[in-house]
Amino acid sequence: MSKTHEQFKCELELKNPLVIIIGKYTKATDYVKVKCSRCNNIWEAKAYSLLQGRACPKCRVIRGIENNKGKTHKKTHDEFQKELKQINNGITLLS
Ligand SMILES: [Zn+2]
């Protein structure tokens, strides 16, 4: 049984909240037009890959650059702790 457009939209909101569907969902293996709520980039991706959490290609590049920066540029303790808090509020830094 295939999903309806509405079902896909609901599922996408749960699994990939940063991605907004702007095209019409047809089926899982078809391309659907979506928009990134973070950088407003519009692209087309396979519907099923979006439900697997596929991120916006533009944001992926930005994140990659930030990761590289993290390797070469040493973070201060405070910066690191702040970032850690954003990722997981349950983690406490001991050293
Ligand atoms: Zn983006």
Side-chain angles (χ1 to χ4, degrees), residues 10 16 21-22 38 47 51 62 65 67 74 77 82 91:
C10 285
N16 211 344
I21 183 167
I22 55 171
R38 206 177 338 184
L51 292 182
I62 296 166
I65 294 166
N67 284 345
K74 210 172 180 302
H77 182 80
K82 210 194 279 173
I91 294 176

Side-chain angles (χ1 to χ4, degrees), residues 36 38-39 41 56 58-59:
C36 172
R38 206 177 338 184
C39 68
N41 180 37
C56 150
K58 216 168 153 185
C59 285

Side-chain angles (χ1 to χ4, degrees), residues 5 7 9 14 22 25 27 33 40-41 49-50 52 55 60 64 68-69 89 93:
H5 178 83
Q7 279 172 330
K9 199 180 160 213
L14 287 170
I22 55 171
Y25 171 81
K27 60 181 180 208
K33 201 178 254 185
N40 290 328
N41 180 37
S49 71
L50 293 166
Q52 287 167 353
R60 274 211 306 269
N68 282 339
K69 253 191 220 163
N89 278 319
L93 210 60

Side-chain angles (χ1 to χ4, degrees), residues 20-85:
I20 302 154
I21 183 167
I22 55 171
K24 175 87 180 145
Y25 171 81
T26 44
K27 60 181 180 208
T29 49
D30 276 355
Y31 281 89
V32 64
K33 201 178 254 185
V34 288
K35 188 179 156 183
C36 172
S37 65
R38 206 177 338 184
C39 68
N40 290 328
N41 180 37
I42 291 170
W43 81 103
E44 282 185 3
K46 283 197 171 165
Y48 73 86
S49 71
L50 293 166
L51 292 182
Q52 287 167 353
R54 187 173 198 81
C56 150
K58 216 168 153 185
C59 285
R60 274 211 306 269
V61 171
I62 296 166
R63 214 181 305 156
I65 294 166
E66 278 172 357
N67 284 345
N68 282 339
K69 253 191 220 163
K71 277 172 200 156
T72 48
H73 177 80
K74 210 172 180 302
K75 285 192 180 85
T76 66
H77 182 80
D78 281 350
E79 277 175 343
F80 184 68
Q81 205 166 31
K82 210 194 279 173
E83 274 189 23
L84 210 62
K85 259 186 193 156

